[in-house]
Amino acid sequence: MRAFGFSVESEGALDALRTRGTAGRAEVKELDEAEKQWCANGFATVDPAGNTVEFFTEFQEWAERPYRAYTPDYIVHPFIGTPKYDETLKFYTYVLGFRASDYIANVTAFLRSENRLHHSFAMRRAKEREIAHICFAMGSLDQVMRGRALAVYDKVKIAADMANHSASKSIAFYIEDPKHGPRIELCN
């Protein structure tokens, strides 16, 4: 994965975030030309774990949703692992302004941004840098169950089956196919 991207509600919020990044001594970079064509404004930075993080306003959206036989609505969150847990946690909370929703001991942090979800970014202590999983929101519990049925039919490994996330009130399952990237979480 090349970068994590977050949509910001306004130019003012984007400017404030850029100022926070600069004040926190984060390297603030312009988006490359390929990304600029999909949004009104934005910038990128790199977190202490080495991940590129992009922020933008007015991200291009379809006037009409594409055909939805089976398509996620949006990305809920990336979940990373890093040996630089403390530095990365400080970067997201103090520099970028994410707020903590929950912690599991001193090992995992669930952070939220302006989207009002329980968490829009999660991280854990790990020996090596990793993308533990990426969560996609499906349109309904029925679509989550259809995704599970397709995984079973296609013999894709189900890494964790039918989890009830009480904090976010969602039902999810996780698939794992190492040749295609990190674990994928589908939730309602």
Side-chain angles (χ1 to χ4, degrees):
M1 177 162 294
R2 205 175 70 68
F4 303 125
F6 293 93
S7 182
V8 179
E9 68 179 332
S10 68
E11 289 294 326
L14 184 68
D15 289 342
L17 195 53
R18 188 186 318 252
T19 300
R20 286 181 73 130
T22 303
R25 297 195 176 115
E27 179 186 0
V28 174
K29 303 182 288 188
E30 292 301 315
L31 297 177
D32 65 31
E33 291 305 315
E35 283 125 2
K36 285 181 182 178
Q37 69 180 341
W38 295 104
C39 63
N41 194 3
F43 70 92
T45 188
V46 177
D47 71 19
N51 300 299
T52 298
V53 187
E54 299 170 344
F55 299 93
F56 41 80
T57 57
E58 298 182 34
F59 189 75
Q60 179 73 37
E61 294 184 29
W62 299 100
E64 182 177 311
R65 284 190 176 263
Y67 177 67
R68 287 191 40 114
Y70 183 74
T71 305
D73 282 345
Y74 56 92
I75 297 175
V76 178
H77 65 261
F79 189 129
I80 68 163
T82 177
K84 296 181 177 183
Y85 177 86
D86 295 314
E87 301 98 308
T88 305
L89 181 59
K90 285 178 185 172
F91 178 80
Y92 279 91
T93 54
Y94 294 112
V95 176
L96 298 180
F98 282 63
R99 293 165 302 223
S101 295
D102 280 312
Y103 294 98
I104 298 175
N106 192 18
V107 177
T108 303
F110 299 94
L111 308 176
R112 66 186 185 279
S113 60
E114 62 190 31
N115 64 13
R116 305 220 188 272
L117 298 174
H118 175 264
H119 59 282
S120 48
F121 185 79
M123 55 181 286
R124 67 180 177 199
R125 289 186 190 277
K127 292 181 181 175
E128 295 180 13
R129 179 179 172 223
E130 66 175 345
I131 299 173
H133 73 262
I134 300 172
C135 178
F136 293 90
M138 304 305 289
S140 65
L141 179 58
D142 182 62
Q143 285 193 354
V144 171
M145 297 306 293
R146 287 173 191 266
R148 185 187 178 283
L150 286 169
V152 169
Y153 180 81
D154 290 336
K155 297 181 178 35
V156 175
K157 178 183 175 188
I158 295 179
D161 204 3
M162 302 318 297
N164 181 356
H165 294 314
S166 57
S168 62
K169 298 181 175 84
S170 67
I171 305 292
F173 77 99
Y174 300 76
I175 57 176
E176 183 171 13
D177 189 356
K179 69 181 177 188
H180 291 112
R183 283 186 179 186
I184 300 294
E185 175 186 4
L186 298 180
C187 72
N188 67 329

